[in-house]
Amino acid sequence: KENNINIIKEKEKERDEIINFYNNNFGLITPFIADNIFTYLTDGLENKLIVKAMEEAVANNIRRWNYVKAILDDCLNNNIHTKEQYEIKLKKYKDNKTNKTTQKEVKYNTDFSEYDKYAKR
């Protein structure tokens, strides 16, 4: 019984952490959004991942629940349940994006011997 009480207290602490982050960065949380958040917890996402998704929204200056929800839905679809798993995915995405935008080395033909025959002497 004591173990169950500790689990309940831990879950309440996790919920409070999420709600406090939302209230401090998005505005007053509504019951609808709170229910959405708690649904993600029951779906197996850890509270640190939910806070990380909200941090991403704040960092991108998109303080809307739908943006956070899209991140969390993507996590569920890709079987990502922890903050660590999400950060690995994010790093791979950013690395892949950087590799695509990196300019390829251009090699120029500096052998002008073919064109020398046309040059005036």
Side-chain angles (χ1 to χ4, degrees):
K1 187 173 181 176
E2 188 175 309
N3 193 22
N4 287 341
I5 293 172
N6 289 338
I7 291 171
I8 291 170
K9 284 183 180 182
E10 185 63 32
K11 293 291 181 188
E12 287 175 357
K13 182 180 173 188
E14 291 175 357
R15 290 178 178 194
D16 288 346
E17 181 182 334
I18 294 167
I19 290 170
N20 287 336
F21 187 90
Y22 190 95
N23 285 336
N24 291 331
N25 293 282
F26 288 80
L28 191 59
I29 195 166
T30 65
F32 176 78
I33 293 174
D35 286 343
N36 270 218
I37 289 171
F38 301 146
T39 299
Y40 286 108
L41 285 172
T42 57
D43 286 344
L45 299 186
E46 72 174 14
N47 69 315
K48 291 177 184 178
L49 174 59
I50 296 170
V51 171
K52 178 66 177 172
M54 289 191 286
E55 287 173 353
E56 286 290 318
V58 171
N60 290 312
N61 202 24
I62 306 173
R63 296 167 194 251
R64 284 184 242 120
W65 173 246
N66 284 339
Y67 186 82
V68 176
K69 191 174 181 315
I71 293 171
L72 296 174
D73 287 341
D74 184 62
C75 288
L76 283 174
N77 291 335
N78 289 295
N79 203 27
I80 295 171
H81 295 279
T82 67
K83 178 183 173 185
E84 291 76 18
Q85 291 171 331
Y86 177 74
E87 287 174 340
I88 291 168
K89 178 187 181 271
L90 199 59
K91 183 176 179 344
K92 285 180 184 176
Y93 172 77
K94 288 180 179 179
D95 288 348
N96 190 26
K97 191 174 179 182
T98 302
N99 289 340
K100 285 183 179 178
T101 59
T102 307
Q103 291 185 353
K104 295 179 181 173
E105 184 180 334
V106 178
K107 293 187 179 187
Y108 295 99
N109 183 359
T110 56
D111 179 16
F112 296 108
S113 60
E114 180 66 28
Y115 303 102
D116 285 346
K117 60 184 174 185
Y118 300 109
K120 293 182 182 178
R121 297 190 188 239

